[in-house]
Amino acid sequence: MINVLYIVNESEAGGAAQSLLDMLTVGRKRICAVVIIPSEGSIEERLQQMNIDYYVVPFKTDHRKIGTHTTEETDTVFASNYAAALKLQDIIKQNKIELIHTNSSVSNVGAIAALMADIPHIWHIRELLEEHYGFEFLDKALKKELFACSDKIITISNYVKNVYMSRYGFDSICIYNGVNSDRFLSKGFDMKEEHCFMLAGAISPQKGQADAVKAAHEVIRNGIDIQLYIVGTGNYQYGWLLKKYVKEYGLERNIHFLDFKNNLRQLREKCLYSITASKMEALGRVTIESMMAGCIVIGADTGGTAEIIGQDCRRGYLYRQGDYKDLARVMQYALEHRENNVEIQKTAQNYSVEMFDVIKYLENIVKMYEDLTRRNEISDRSQKAGLLEQLSTRYGSLQDRTGYVYDSGGFGKQQAIQKTVQRWLRNKLEHKLLDTVLVEKEIYSIAIYGMGYLGCCLYDELEGSRVTVEYVMDRRITDPDGLIKIVDLQEMLPEVDAIVVTVLGEVEALIDHIKAKCSYTIVMLSELLEWCENI
C-alpha cells in the first residue's frame, strides 16, 4: 500500500474528480488515499461511500480570464496556496504520506506542500485552459518553476501533451483516463430511439450547448422531427438564454433541459446519438462514456474530441466546431445513413473499453508511484530547496505588507443569495408579487442591472406582467440572437421608470455611477422585496 495525498480542486464531482474516483474504486488494495478538497460539496458523499479519508482545506485556484487579473490578486492566490500547503504538513505527517498527486493544473497547493515535506509530487494536467476556457494561469513564471520541480507530469491526451510541451517546454507522460466501463457498458443497441440526441455536461458557452440547440432547430426546420436532451447545471445565465431561445421559437416539444444526473444510463439507453460540442476538450470523459454506452458520438473537430473519435467516421462523426449549421448537416447525415450505425457503435465501444480501461490505467499510475517512492534520493533536491526558499521569502514579505491571514472558507455571497431567494419565495407564497408593488409605485418600465441568478429570476417573474423589462445591463452577458436588449452602462441609458439593481454587497460606487448618467429611480432588489413585505 502506498500512502498518497490527492489534491482535488473541485468540490463537485466533475470529470476530473470522477476519473480519480474511478481509479481509487479499483485501487483500494494498492493505494491508501487521503483527499484534500477546497470546500464542502457533493464529492463528500462519494468519498464517504468509498470510505476514503478527506479534509476540507480551503485554497484558491490560480487561473482567471485572460488579461483580467491584477498583481494584488496574483499575490492573494499565492498566499492562499502557500498557507494551505503549510496547513497540509500536519496531515502529511499524521497519515505518513509518501507522495502527493495533484489532480488538476489549476492549483499550486500540492506542488508547494511536496516541496515543504520533501516528498515526490505528480502533476496531472487535465485541461486546456487557454484554448477551451479562455483562462490563463495567474503567475506563469511560478507555474513553470513548479512544473520543473515536479517529479512526474501526466497529460490526459496527446493533444494536451503537445500544447504544454510547446508552451512550457517540459515533457510529460500521456496516459488516457481510466473509466470504469461497468458503469456505462450497454449491449442494447436496438433499444435506442433513432431520433433522440443528447448532450451532457456543465452548462457553459465552452461546452457548446447553444450550437446543439441551434443545430436541432435547423434539423427540425428541415422537416425532421427529433428530440434533444440537454443535461447539466452550471452557468445559470447561459442556460437561461438557451431556454429563452427554445421558448421564442416554440421548440419546447423537441428540446428538453434536465438537471445534472450522476447516472445517465437511462438516458443513454434511450438516445442513439450523443453530441460533444465543446470548444476544445482536453480529452472528453463524456465522449468516452457515450461510446461505452453504445451511443453514436457527433463531436467537434478539435482537441481530445477529434483524437478520440478519429477522422475516418469509424468511431463517430466530426463537425466544424462552432458551426451549428455544419453540426445540423452531420446530424441529418447520421439520420439518413442508419445502415452505418451498428458498425460504428461496435467499433467505438470496443475502442473505448480497450483504450480507457481503468485497470490498465491503475497499473500505469501505481508503477509510477512505486518508482518515485522507492528512490533513495529525491531528484533535483538543490533546485527544489532553492525554489522553496524563494517561495517562503515571498510569503513572508506578503504577510508583512498585507497582513494576509489564512482564509478558512467564506460563503458570504452564496448565503446572501440564499437569504434573498428565501425572502422572495415567502412573498410569492403570500401572493405579494413584484409587479403589484411596482405598479403601486407607478413604475411600469424597468431596466435590470446584474443578470446573475437573481437578475434572471427577476426578468422571468416580470415577463408578461404589467411591468416591462426594457433592457438589461451586465458585462458578462451576450445574446447573439437578440432575444433580450442589452445596454452597456457606458452608453446612454434609454429612458425607464426605474433601474433595479440585483447585485448584492457593496454597491455605493455603482449607484453613484448610474446617478451620474441619468435621473431615473434606482431600486435595490432588497428594497423591492421590502416593499412586497409591507403590503
Side-chain angles (χ1 to χ4, degrees):
M1 294 280 281
I2 301 173
N3 298 330
V4 182
L5 184 71
Y6 293 93
I7 309 296
V8 178
N9 75 294
E10 52 188 347
S11 299
E12 308 303 320
Q18 291 282 7
S19 295
L20 173 61
L21 295 177
D22 275 356
M23 183 190 76
L24 295 180
T25 298
V26 298
R28 295 175 186 275
K29 296 180 180 179
R30 311 284 298 280
I31 302 168
C32 181
V34 176
V35 174
I36 303 298
I37 56 175
S39 63
E40 297 175 349
S42 64
I43 195 174
E44 291 181 89
E45 184 178 351
R46 285 288 306 278
L47 293 169
Q48 290 164 6
Q49 290 171 349
M50 296 171 65
N51 199 28
I52 293 176
D53 290 336
Y54 70 93
Y55 299 83
V56 178
V57 179
F59 59 85
K60 298 179 184 296
T61 57
D62 74 322
H63 67 296
R64 298 292 184 273
K65 285 287 185 183
I66 293 173
T68 62
H69 60 276
T70 63
T71 301
E72 181 182 4
E73 186 174 24
T74 300
D75 287 341
T76 300
V77 170
F78 165 76
S80 165
N81 279 244
Y82 192 93
L86 285 171
K87 192 173 179 67
L88 291 182
Q89 297 309 302
D90 286 341
I91 295 172
I92 291 169
K93 291 175 184 175
Q94 290 168 11
N95 293 276
K96 299 180 180 178
I97 297 299
E98 302 170 77
L99 177 147
I100 296 177
H101 185 151
T102 298
N103 200 48
S104 165
S105 69
V106 298
S107 69
N108 296 331
V109 178
I112 298 172
L115 292 176
M116 293 175 176
D118 197 24
I119 58 177
H121 177 251
I122 292 176
W123 219 321
H124 213 136
I125 300 179
R126 300 180 179 274
E127 49 277 306
L128 291 163
L129 279 185
E130 297 186 22
E131 294 80 0
H132 186 41
Y133 298 103
F135 282 82
E136 64 182 345
F137 296 125
L138 294 179
D139 191 335
K140 293 180 182 177
L142 171 60
K143 183 70 74 172
K144 189 170 184 177
E145 288 185 280
L146 290 172
F147 280 148
C149 283
S150 288
D151 297 271
K152 290 290 181 182
I153 298 177
I154 303 170
T155 44
I156 63 171
S157 68
N158 285 307
Y159 192 91
V160 175
K161 176 184 173 78
N162 294 335
V163 166
Y164 276 80
M165 167 63 86
S166 64
R167 186 166 295 150
Y168 292 99
F170 64 75
D171 198 10
S172 61
I173 300 169
C174 174
I175 304 178
Y176 282 156
N177 286 340
V179 178
N180 188 347
S181 60
D182 292 342
R183 293 175 54 201
F184 309 106
L185 209 58
S186 171
K187 296 294 183 182
F189 295 168
D190 56 345
M191 301 296 291
K192 298 182 186 296
E193 297 182 20
E194 292 184 338
H195 286 75
C196 282
F197 295 76
M198 64 176 286
L199 190 161
I203 302 295
S204 73
Q206 292 78 22
K207 294 295 184 181
Q209 285 91 354
D211 287 346
V213 167
K214 291 180 181 179
H217 187 193
E218 191 81 6
V219 172
I220 292 164
R221 273 198 292 233
N222 290 339
I224 303 174
D225 189 30
I226 64 170
Q227 300 293 312
L228 171 64
Y229 297 89
I230 304 287
V231 188
T233 55
N235 185 323
Y236 187 87
Q237 184 186 85
Y238 180 66
W240 179 78
L241 283 169
L242 292 176
K243 292 172 185 176
K244 288 282 181 220
Y245 182 97
V246 169
K247 184 177 180 181
E248 175 73 16
Y249 292 102
L251 299 169
E252 295 96 332
R253 192 180 66 83
N254 297 92
I255 300 178
H256 316 277
F257 293 89
L258 306 175
D259 286 340
F260 175 76
K261 299 176 182 296
N262 284 324
N263 189 347
L264 293 169
R265 180 182 287 275
Q266 187 175 0
L267 191 59
R268 286 190 173 122
E269 292 290 350
K270 175 186 178 72
C271 295
L272 177 56
Y273 302 100
S274 177
I275 297 172
T276 301
S278 301
K279 182 179 178 181
M280 183 74 73
E281 285 285 356
L283 182 64
R285 181 184 174 90
V286 72
T287 302
I288 301 163
E289 293 176 1
S290 296
M291 285 179 166
M292 288 180 174
C295 298
I296 296 173
V297 181
I298 300 173
D301 61 347
T302 56
T305 305
E307 189 171 322
I308 296 171
I309 294 176
Q311 302 290 332
D312 56 9
C313 298
R314 294 184 63 247
R315 301 193 295 267
Y317 298 106
L318 296 176
Y319 76 95
R320 286 191 301 276
Q321 187 277 323
D323 185 342
Y324 76 88
K325 289 191 175 181
D326 194 51
L327 174 55
R329 177 190 65 79
V330 175
M331 291 167 68
Q332 197 161 329
Y333 177 89
L335 289 167
E336 293 169 352
H337 292 79
R338 295 172 192 158
E339 68 276 8
N340 299 329
N341 287 354
V342 173
E343 187 62 31
I344 291 174
Q345 288 170 292
K346 288 181 179 177
T347 302
Q349 190 178 71
N350 291 338
Y351 169 83
S352 62
V353 170
E354 180 181 352
M355 293 299 294
F356 305 99
D357 180 78
V358 70
I359 301 299
K360 292 180 183 176
Y361 176 72
L362 172 67
E363 291 300 324
N364 286 328
I365 297 294
V366 169
K367 184 179 186 306
M368 191 180 298
Y369 290 171
E370 290 173 344
D371 288 345
L372 289 175
T373 55
R374 285 174 181 169
R375 290 180 182 174
N376 293 324
E377 290 291 330
I378 299 291
S379 61
D380 303 317
R381 178 163 265 135
S382 60
Q383 180 184 0
K384 292 180 178 181
L387 178 56
L388 182 59
E389 183 178 356
Q390 172 191 327
L391 300 181
S392 177
T393 301
R394 179 179 174 185
Y395 181 66
S397 68
L398 286 174
Q399 283 189 305
D400 293 340
R401 191 170 78 243
T402 65
Y404 177 83
V405 179
Y406 177 68
D407 180 6
S408 60
F411 308 97
K413 183 177 179 181
Q414 290 84 350
Q415 289 175 336
I417 291 174
Q418 192 173 54
K419 288 179 180 178
T420 302
V421 171
Q422 288 171 349
R423 289 179 66 190
W424 199 334
L425 178 59
R426 186 166 56 246
N427 286 338
K428 293 198 72 168
L429 291 173
E430 295 174 3
H431 304 290
K432 298 177 178 180
L433 304 180
L434 299 181
D435 72 318
T436 301
V437 293
L438 286 168
V439 169
E440 283 183 359
K441 302 284 185 180
E442 297 186 346
I443 296 173
Y444 295 93
S445 64
I446 70 164
I448 300 175
Y449 183 92
M451 290 302 292
Y453 176 76
L454 296 175
C456 293
C457 289
L458 177 60
Y459 191 109
D460 285 341
E461 176 154 338
L462 294 178
E463 192 170 27
S465 74
R466 293 171 292 173
V467 179
T468 304
V469 179
E470 296 292 345
Y471 58 92
V472 304
M473 292 173 280
D474 192 317
R475 286 177 297 178
R476 300 166 301 169
I477 193 168
T478 57
D479 178 24
D481 302 300
L483 301 178
I484 59 175
K485 184 176 181 179
I486 303 170
V487 174
D488 192 317
L489 183 57
Q490 307 310 316
E491 301 172 8
M492 185 175 71
L493 302 181
E495 184 176 354
V496 288
D497 294 330
I499 296 174
V500 181
V501 176
T502 67
V503 179
L504 303 178
E506 300 295 326
V507 293
E508 288 80 3
L510 167 65
I511 291 174
D512 288 343
H513 183 62
I514 297 174
K515 284 180 176 178
K517 292 184 63 65
C518 66
S519 59
Y520 314 145
T521 300
I522 300 173
V523 183
M524 298 297 299
L525 179 59
S526 58
E527 185 180 2
L528 183 52
L529 294 175
E530 188 176 338
W531 290 353
C532 289
E533 290 162 351
N534 292 332
I535 291 178

